[in-house]
Structures are given as C-alpha cells and as structure tokens.
Amino acid sequence: MGMGSDMYRQQILDHYKNPRNHGALEDPTFSHVGENPSCGDTIQIDVQLADDGETIEYVSFSGDGCAISQASASMLTQQLPGMTLDELSEMDTDDVVDMLGVDISPMRIKCAVLAEKVVQDGAKIHEGELDLDETTTEE
Ligand code: FES
C-alpha cells in the first residue's frame, strides 16, 4: 500500500467523521431513502435542482452506516452539484470506486455504492421512470 492509498484512506475517515452537507435540505426537489439489507444501514439523499430542472444544485444526506457508505455519501454531495440528471444516470460502480480512491473488496462494494444508487433511483422516480418506495443494494 503506497502513500497515495493512505491519503485516500485518511480522506474516507475524514468524510466519515466530518460529513459534508449532512442533514436535510429545506426545500428539496426530491429525496429518497435506501438500505443495504445485509447490514441494515440506511442513507437518505435530498437533491435540489436548478431552475432548468436538469442540473443538480445542492445535495445533502443523512443516515447511519459504516465508514465507506457514509464517506461515499458525503463525497457524492460534493461531487454531484453541477452535474445534470443525465450525467448522474451514467455514473456506475467504477466511478464511485474512483471517487473513493481505494480498492474496495467485493464485500464492501454494496457499502460504496449505496448512496449512488439512492440518488440515481431518486432521480428516476422524480422523472417518472421508476416506481419504488425504497432502494436496496440487493441485485
Ligand atoms: Fe452497512 Fe457498509 S456495513 S453499508
């Protein structure tokens, strides 16, 4: 494990201990909640879109879970503003792993992608493409 990897691990711990954009938005365009059923950890994501109805303006999250799931949610709240809903829909697991910057074991992939799946499903529900109460990371 090189220095670079250590730096990313520190960054994950920092996001876990000092989550960015934690809490609820006052007037979200949509919010959605999801759970990793293997552990019961949950994440709720609130998204406010810009006036064009396409561009993500603000994102916040709340929830309980392991360091990777919570850090991933915290990092996403910083990464998503400025992206369009189309760009969001194209994000995949590799993008989340790249964002985290460390190797994620297959066991922890569900932790890493929980927030991404929640916000993607929330966007699809908002756009009328999906009818779902709660997201789970069960495939
Ligand atoms: Fe529950 Fe990671 S152990 S999301």
Side-chain angles (χ1 to χ4, degrees):
M1 184 193 313
M3 290 283 287
S5 174
D6 276 353
M7 190 185 78
Y8 283 114
R9 271 170 212 284
Q10 290 297 336
Q11 197 183 341
I12 288 172
L13 273 180
D14 181 51
H15 274 268
Y16 178 54
K17 289 183 185 156
N18 307 294
R20 319 301 200 272
N21 305 303
H22 192 259
L25 291 182
E26 224 167 78
D27 193 18
T29 312
F30 60 86
S31 39
H32 187 55
V33 67
E35 179 190 42
N36 178 348
S38 55
C39 60
D41 292 344
T42 60
I43 286 177
Q44 171 165 331
I45 304 242
D46 290 358
V47 174
Q48 188 178 320
L49 297 179
D51 289 341
D52 64 5
E54 270 289 314
T55 310
I56 297 171
E57 201 162 40
Y58 301 109
V59 184
S60 75
F61 85 101
S62 58
D64 276 313
C66 65
I68 291 180
S69 71
Q70 303 298 301
S72 178
S74 173
M75 287 184 195
L76 271 181
T77 68
Q78 293 189 315
Q79 185 155 95
L80 297 182
M83 282 175 68
T84 64
L85 293 183
D86 278 351
E87 288 167 340
L88 168 65
S89 70
E90 283 164 14
M91 279 189 82
D92 61 17
T93 301
D94 287 345
D95 293 320
V96 176
V97 172
D98 281 352
M99 177 183 77
L100 290 167
V102 291
D103 290 337
I104 305 289
S105 70
M107 290 276 296
R108 310 308 300 276
I109 285 290
K110 283 184 182 176
C111 309
V113 300
L114 177 60
E116 179 224 9
K117 288 200 179 306
V118 169
V119 69
Q120 283 178 327
D121 282 356
K124 283 188 204 155
I125 294 164
H126 169 69
E127 295 197 299
E129 293 169 6
L130 187 68
D131 186 10
L132 188 72
D133 287 336
E134 186 175 287
T135 291
T136 71
T137 49
E138 212 105 70
E139 295 298 320

